[in-house]
Amino acid sequence: LLCVQSGKTLNDPNRFKFDGDGYYLKSSEEMREYWDKEVPGATDSTLLIAERVESYDDVYSHKDRMPRFDVPEGQTTASWLREEVARGLRWRLPDGVPPEYVERADYEIAVITDKGFPAYFLITADLMNHAREVGIRVGPGRGSAAGSLVAYALGITNLDPLDLGLLFERFLNPERVSMPDIDMDFDDRRRGEMIRYATEKYGAERVAQVITFGTIKTKAAIKDSARVHYGQPGYAIADRISKALPPPVAAKDIPLSGIVDPRHDRYGEAAEVRALLEQDDDVSRIFDTARGLEGLIRNAGVHACAVIMSADPLLETIPLWRRDDGSIITGWDYPSCEAIGLLKMDFLGLRNLTVIGDAIDNIRANRGEDIDLDTLTVDDPATYELLVRGDSLGVFQLDGGAMRDLLRRLRPTGFGDIIAVNALYRPGPMAMNTHNNYADRKNGRQAVEPIHPELAEPLRDILAETHGLVVYQEQIMQIAQKVAGYSMGRADVLRRAMGKKKVEVLEKEFEGFESGMLATGFSGDAVRALWDTILPFAGYAFNKSHAAGYALVGYWTAFLKANYPAEYMAALLTSVGDNKDKSAVYLSECRRLGIKVLPPDV
């Protein structure tokens, strides 16, 4: 490790090294022998101090460290949240708030209050509202938070969950113990302003960015080991080993331990590497050292978006790291911070929000028109015509060649189709051909068949929007509620268990699912047919709330390109000005659209 960090080789006589033999964790007897000789009674005094600490568990226990939100006199955070939600619903629904909205809001507020999260929602709403006040473009919502009516009423998200059939329980429910997680998207040029605002409002001593630890991965371990052992010639050996490795799966290489462990899932794919180990002593030596390096921490960095907030000064709670630039970073990673009750918030920079903001500014300058995305409907014919043609180059999430082919095949006619495309264009659904089945069923090229004759009617409403296919995680939850008598909270537990694919957990879950369906009057054949259908889907079924949030950003960009192509392409080209490859692609698209791009005028 010293050689890796200092750029030396093991055979360099002048390399940095520790002389001596005392670099290990000593036993209590060795410590007592050493210290009592140097400072008589030192070890007993040390133990005396240690025993005065009443409970080390107390240091690491979970406590309410949620940041405080100032509310008007006479109010609590819970009562103020209720007032703010009521005010927000009147703003969102100026023609009157229907009873089902009031009922849903009351239920959500009860769960949020019971879990102790009112301040979290008020703080998040404050951040989003501040961004709007100072002209920072914000996203419509991402992740499961889009399923919350409270978040919609407070202006945290911009999607009506009742209108889109999004579930609050996918985000937060009485049976879920984890913290809610609301990710906030901002114009990426101004994300720093939002972190600065949070720091100034809630206290510099109570807000910090989050540390990340970079570990040594498979190929890096091999390269480091080869260079340390053999210097420059080692690169050729490392290259041979790397090329013999099985291809990455989901961007992850097989671990070095898995290459020689017959119990590992990918052991069979690594025969070529094992052959090299047996034939070449140099390879074997490099491999053995690399196994010791793999997984060790190489460096510390700063998380791309996470920020930790606390009610108390962070210095009293966790270790902190002041970087050379003066920024304060947590000494623990964010799961450790969350485990003791600190609040983690994600401040994300989304380039497409910058593009949208610039396009709207261009439209105002060129045409004198103001585009208000908050009131923009999702039924513009020109936008859907653009998507049906597959002219979505430069449109958020709908940009790639294969995606454009899918759009032509699917021929979207409503916002629900854009949501579905976002969920279907993923490795899992595509491996099962679900994306093509959806397109064929939507356009009458394939019949819609029930999972089992007994289930045709009970599941009709749940699967109607996706033409009889399970596409979203929320559908799995609704199915469990409908046919097995699950509560929504328990259905979410089932959905997560199915996604993790642990055999012993699934066997236990199947027992409950089976007994619930049998009690509701379904046959054993229907139970097995449904379980066998939804189990493989659960591993890759997408979060509909997240798909809807990103579908709305996609719709906005498609709307701007369809109706204001020059202004939109100008904004898009500006955003990729430092990327020659993308600039060339979008310049070509401008030529195809008949938009003239002038050269620089100094």
Side-chain angles (χ1 to χ4, degrees):
L1 269 176
L2 287 172
C3 286
V4 168
Q5 291 173 50
S6 57
K8 300 286 186 180
T9 59
L10 284 169
N11 58 12
D12 184 339
N14 297 318
R15 68 181 174 87
F16 176 45
K17 64 178 84 170
F18 291 126
D19 293 315
D21 57 4
Y23 302 109
Y24 63 94
L25 199 61
K26 295 176 174 61
S27 68
S28 56
E29 291 77 15
E30 287 175 292
M31 292 296 283
R32 186 174 289 279
E33 181 186 353
Y34 175 80
W35 278 105
D36 282 352
K37 182 171 62 183
E38 296 289 326
V39 184
T43 43
D44 287 336
S45 297
T46 302
L47 282 172
L48 191 64
I49 294 295
E51 286 164 3
R52 287 170 65 183
V53 177
E54 290 180 11
S55 170
Y56 282 103
D57 291 340
D58 189 51
V59 176
Y60 302 109
S61 63
H62 188 282
K63 294 178 183 172
D64 179 12
R65 293 182 167 97
M66 187 73 67
R68 307 286 179 254
F69 185 84
D70 292 333
V71 297
E73 196 171 338
Q75 296 274 9
T76 63
T77 51
S79 66
W80 187 244
L81 175 67
R82 185 171 291 278
E83 286 200 20
E84 289 288 274
V85 169
R87 187 180 299 113
L89 287 175
R90 291 194 296 272
W91 162 60
R92 291 288 194 188
L93 304 159
D95 296 331
V97 182
E100 61 268 26
Y101 281 77
V102 176
E103 185 181 336
R104 171 77 170 257
D106 286 343
Y107 166 68
E108 290 191 15
I109 291 168
V111 173
I112 291 165
T113 303
D114 183 59
K115 293 281 186 181
F117 299 140
Y120 176 52
F121 282 81
L122 291 168
I123 289 166
T124 309
D126 170 59
L127 292 168
M128 298 297 273
N129 290 329
H130 171 77
R132 290 189 180 95
E133 285 169 11
V134 298
I136 298 174
R137 186 71 55 188
V138 298
R142 69 151 81 195
S144 56
S148 168
L149 182 64
V150 165
Y152 178 60
L154 293 173
I156 295 169
T157 61
N158 215 31
L159 296 151
D160 182 339
L162 273 75
D163 184 47
L164 294 170
L166 307 179
L167 301 182
F168 175 68
E169 290 83 359
R170 174 62 185 81
F171 169 58
L172 193 64
N173 66 65
E175 292 165 67
R176 192 169 179 174
V177 295
S178 56
M179 282 279 291
D181 191 11
I182 301 175
D183 296 337
M184 297 174 288
D185 284 318
F186 302 106
D187 176 332
D188 68 346
R189 289 177 303 201
R190 302 183 68 182
R191 172 181 169 270
E193 289 180 45
M194 290 307 304
I195 295 176
R196 191 157 56 248
Y197 169 76
T199 303
E200 289 170 359
K201 174 148 187 178
Y202 296 97
E205 72 281 7
R206 294 175 171 83
V207 179
Q209 290 179 265
V210 180
I211 201 168
T212 56
F213 297 106
T215 54
I216 301 175
K217 304 290 193 301
T218 305
K219 286 180 181 173
I222 291 168
K223 287 176 182 173
D224 283 338
S225 173
R227 189 193 57 74
V228 164
H229 278 298
Y230 299 106
Q232 195 69 28
Y235 288 111
I237 308 173
D239 195 47
R240 277 173 58 212
I241 303 171
S242 295
K243 285 178 177 172
L245 289 171
V249 171
K252 286 188 177 179
D253 282 308
I254 181 174
L256 294 172
S257 58
I259 291 169
V260 292
D261 182 359
R263 293 168 300 176
H264 194 274
D265 293 343
R266 304 192 66 199
Y267 174 80
E269 300 172 45
E272 188 180 346
V273 186
R274 289 195 296 278
L276 277 179
L277 292 174
E278 292 165 9
Q279 296 161 9
D280 192 322
D281 289 341
D282 291 342
V283 170
S284 180
R285 187 181 183 200
I286 287 168
F287 185 85
D288 288 343
T289 302
R291 285 191 66 181
L293 292 173
E294 186 182 32
L296 296 176
I297 290 169
R298 180 191 290 279
N299 54 27
V302 181
H303 196 283
C305 55
V307 172
I308 289 292
M309 300 173 70
S310 170
D312 306 313
L314 286 169
L315 199 58
E316 298 174 9
T317 311
I318 55 171
L320 295 174
W321 164 36
R322 185 194 290 276
R323 296 213 306 170
D324 293 342
D325 61 4
S327 56
I328 301 296
I329 316 296
T330 64
W332 289 355
D333 60 11
Y334 77 78
S336 303
C337 292
E338 285 187 310
I340 64 165
L342 295 169
L343 174 64
K344 189 255 311 184
M345 303 193 84
D346 285 327
F347 291 66
L348 296 131
L350 190 62
R351 182 180 63 86
N352 292 81
L353 292 176
T354 309
V355 174
I356 290 167
D358 285 354
I360 289 172
D361 291 343
N362 292 343
I363 293 163
R364 188 182 300 114
N366 266 11
R367 309 185 187 214
E369 296 179 32
D370 276 316
I371 307 294
D372 182 3
L373 297 178
D374 288 337
T375 58
L376 188 70
T377 57
V378 289
D379 55 4
D380 175 60
T383 302
Y384 290 99
E385 287 166 17
L386 175 137
L387 296 176
V388 167
R389 294 194 306 270
D391 284 348
S392 55
L393 188 68
V395 172
F396 181 61
Q397 296 283 297
L398 309 177
D399 182 77
M403 172 61 96
R404 300 204 301 277
D405 290 340
L406 178 59
L407 287 169
R408 293 185 195 103
R409 185 180 176 90
L410 193 145
R411 301 184 66 81
T413 51
F415 188 59
D417 290 332
I418 305 177
I419 299 174
V421 160
N422 270 278
L424 289 167
Y425 193 75
R426 312 272 164 186
M430 291 170 80
M432 301 273 286
N433 203 40
T434 312
H435 61 312
N436 287 327
N437 291 339
Y438 181 100
D440 291 342
R441 291 186 181 193
K442 178 188 185 309
N443 292 288
R445 297 187 294 266
Q446 185 186 107
V448 176
E449 295 178 1
I451 294 168
H452 187 277
E454 291 177 35
L455 296 164
E457 188 57 39
L459 302 186
R460 188 185 307 280
D461 291 344
I462 295 170
L463 300 182
E465 64 170 334
T466 51
H467 310 288
L469 297 164
V470 180
V471 174
Y472 306 119
Q473 294 171 356
E474 288 86 340
Q475 288 174 312
I476 292 170
M477 293 167 63
Q478 289 170 315
I479 288 169
Q481 183 189 38
K482 178 88 175 183
V483 301
Y486 277 39
S487 68
M488 268 299 173
R490 190 179 171 202
D492 186 48
V493 172
L494 171 72
R495 188 266 314 163
R496 280 185 286 157
M498 294 176 92
K500 288 176 181 171
K501 300 252 187 305
K502 289 186 177 173
V503 177
E504 64 279 4
V505 176
L506 285 174
E507 286 174 357
K508 185 179 175 186
E509 287 293 341
F510 176 70
E511 290 174 14
F513 187 79
E514 182 181 40
S515 61
M517 281 191 72
L518 293 174
T520 316
F522 292 98
S523 68
D525 286 347
V527 175
R528 179 50 69 180
L530 180 57
W531 183 264
D532 289 347
T533 300
I534 65 174
L535 184 57
F537 274 87
Y540 65 71
F542 205 65
N543 176 344
K544 186 183 180 184
S545 294
H546 183 61
Y550 268 21
L552 187 53
V553 179
Y555 177 85
W556 288 345
T557 53
F559 170 84
L560 291 168
K561 185 180 180 186
N563 294 279
Y564 305 95
E567 290 86 351
Y568 181 71
M569 293 307 294
L572 194 60
L573 282 167
T574 300
S575 77
V576 296
D578 58 350
N579 186 320
K580 285 188 284 189
D581 293 337
K582 284 192 173 180
S583 293
V585 170
Y586 295 142
L587 281 166
S588 174
E589 178 73 350
C590 286
R591 282 192 289 274
R592 192 186 70 79
L593 294 170
I595 298 168
K596 187 174 183 181
V597 181
L598 300 176
D601 185 352
V602 179

